[in-house]
Amino acid sequence: MSIKITYLKSSKAKSDANLVLFSNDKFNIKTLKRYLSVNEFSYINDLLKTSDLKKNLFLFDVSSKKKIVIISIKNNIKLSDIENLGAEFYGSVKGKKGGEYFLNSDTIVGNNENFLGHFLHGLKLKSYEFKKYKTKKEANIISINVIGNKNKPSVLNQLKFKSLEEGTFFARDLVSEPGNVLHPDEYANRLRSLKKIGLKVIVYDKKKLKSLGMHALLGVGQGSVRGSYLVTMEWNGTKNNSKPLAFVGKGVCFDTGGYSLKPARFMEDMTYDMAGSAAVVGLMKSLALRKAKINAVGVVGLVENMVSGNAQRPGDIVKSYSGKTIEVLNTDAEGRLVLADALTYTEKRYKPKFIVDLATLTGAIIVSLGSEYAGLFSNDDKLSNQILNAGEKVEEKVWRMPLHKNYDKLMNSKNADMQNINYVGGAGSTTAAQFLQRFIINKTPWAHLDIAGMAFSKYGGALNSGGATGFGVRLLNELIEENYE
Ligand code: BES
Ligand code: MN
Ligand code: ZN
């Protein structure tokens, strides 16, 4: 369902139109009397007396045509809870007939001047749906007319919210596309189109990657009839040449497992194995749209992990861009092979202030953390804490997991410099992270986010209605805004 928000100059609602009003935490609606008719007031007041006031919101059908929504604002409400409230409001009116609402901003309680912006942001994020392949289009629109003078977000804030929404939705679109549509060739083309918003996009194809020596990445894609790519997206938002912040993403457009084939059940989920790259792309789009005053670069490795006469075999040994050799004991541990080359290239080419990579890297992180926290692995406490705090703030939470040289040892190989899985077993997410760390050559502050449990939501979460979440876009934007801008 799409949402249309209009800010009206007037502070009056049409008398028979649906109303959205705010109250204090106890649903004390006396202050709202002047926006309600006598009948409406007593009707609502009576119903509230027998209601569970711990709820955040009530929707009253005051006539066959008119609805009044009362939303309670708890004392000292957190920004993320304001966004959740907007999402909850969307949930309560979604699918109802008569989709025009007058939201009275004068009734907003408390002095959080960003309340309305965050409320509408949460509402928008929750309303996203991917309906591209439904041939029956539903034309349902909810329009929200904001009246009153309080709390209207500044032009700058509106731009910020909008750019975050667009970045998040772009990431969700990419993740939602099926594997037959968003294969590496198509993905690379969609990234080229980002040039028009001011990003410098460079696409390295197979031939170029061969000459650079990125055989870890190329090995993963070699069984596919599609191309394999490394794509860099640069945003230069400052006049100086200060070191960029770097973001690297796993873009496995489909992961069959290769010859270490995955079971049939749920293999279809592996269309979202490019969600790490989508978060990077969505972030870069947001930064460009809001003209962030920083230098940043996004680097994504785009491949398809298939089975064919030319696909990689278990036991193959490949030479990575770093020069280190890898014994590919399991072709399903492919994400780390793609990231290995992307990480070393990013560090060498850009000498960034830090590198954050995002990847749907291991099933094991879902065993550890489920769909509540992404796993965070890092060689740097300061960067870790910045990411942890940003995550708490925007409710894209991360939990720090250990790295240790004893885990690192498990990745040593008899036949090459290292192998891509550990045979001892256990700590699968950590050993994957240890593998990645071997490709950070110059001790650049680095953090790895394993988002396998966060990128896709079967049942929906606070700010998404199920499907692709866009996890990472708002987290990393917050990291930048709070600490580097
Ligand atoms: N893309 C998967 C990880 C994954 C699993 C993401 C479930 C989302 C949901 C990754 O490429 C993979 O297959 N990892 C293997 C690693 C193993 C072979 C060491 C895994 O987790 O089983
Ligand atoms: Mn895999
Ligand atoms: Zn994978």
Side-chain angles (χ1 to χ4, degrees), residues 255 262 332-334:
D255 180 13
K262 286 188 181 296
D332 197 13
E334 85 298 341

Side-chain angles (χ1 to χ4, degrees), residues 161-313:
F161 286 125
K162 188 152 192 291
S163 63
L164 271 179
E165 284 151 19
E166 285 189 26
T168 303
F169 293 168
F170 193 52
R172 288 179 183 179
D173 284 348
L174 292 169
V175 172
S176 304
E177 288 285 12
N180 62 327
V181 175
L182 196 88
H183 45 68
D185 300 331
E186 167 67 14
Y187 198 168
N189 281 337
R190 290 200 192 182
L191 297 187
R192 283 191 185 96
S193 80
L194 292 173
K195 286 177 189 169
K196 64 175 184 282
I197 58 167
L199 290 168
K200 181 175 173 197
V201 181
I202 307 172
V203 178
Y204 300 91
D205 64 7
K206 249 185 219 174
K207 203 169 140 222
K208 181 77 194 175
L209 296 179
K210 250 182 219 153
S211 72
L212 285 166
M214 296 207 192
H215 301 289
L217 186 156
L218 285 168
V220 177
Q222 89 188 21
S224 168
V225 296
R226 307 292 178 182
S228 295
Y229 302 92
L230 188 86
V231 181
T232 61
M233 293 154 281
E234 297 172 27
W235 171 249
N236 289 311
T238 68
K239 297 227 167 56
N240 56 46
N241 289 331
S242 63
K243 289 178 172 182
L245 315 177
F247 302 94
V248 176
K250 167 180 174 181
V252 176
C253 293
F254 195 84
D255 180 13
T256 66
Y259 275 100
S260 313
L261 194 63
K262 286 188 181 296
R265 198 170 143 80
F266 300 138
M267 192 199 276
E268 69 274 15
D269 287 351
M270 286 301 108
T271 55
Y272 82 79
D273 212 17
M274 33 58 70
S277 67
V280 170
V281 170
L283 172 73
M284 295 311 295
K285 180 166 183 170
S286 293
L287 295 176
L289 287 176
R290 69 178 180 80
K291 303 213 174 351
K293 291 193 182 54
I294 45 122
N295 295 340
V297 59
V299 178
V300 294
L302 311 181
V303 299
E304 183 180 45
N305 190 19
M306 301 295 275
V307 187
S308 90
N310 190 42
Q312 177 156 259
R313 289 151 291 259

Side-chain angles (χ1 to χ4, degrees), residues 5 7 22 73 77 79 82 103-120 146-155 157-158 161:
I5 294 166
Y7 294 94
F22 295 93
I73 302 179
I77 187 168
L79 291 186
I82 299 174
L103 183 154
N104 191 322
S105 70
D106 288 336
T107 63
I108 291 171
V109 185
N111 46 13
N112 190 331
E113 58 183 70
N114 276 325
F115 183 95
L116 188 58
H118 283 282
F119 182 86
L120 296 173
V146 179
I147 54 172
N149 300 310
K150 214 173 150 187
N151 249 286
K152 188 180 158 188
S154 65
V155 174
N157 269 332
Q158 281 185 48
F161 286 125

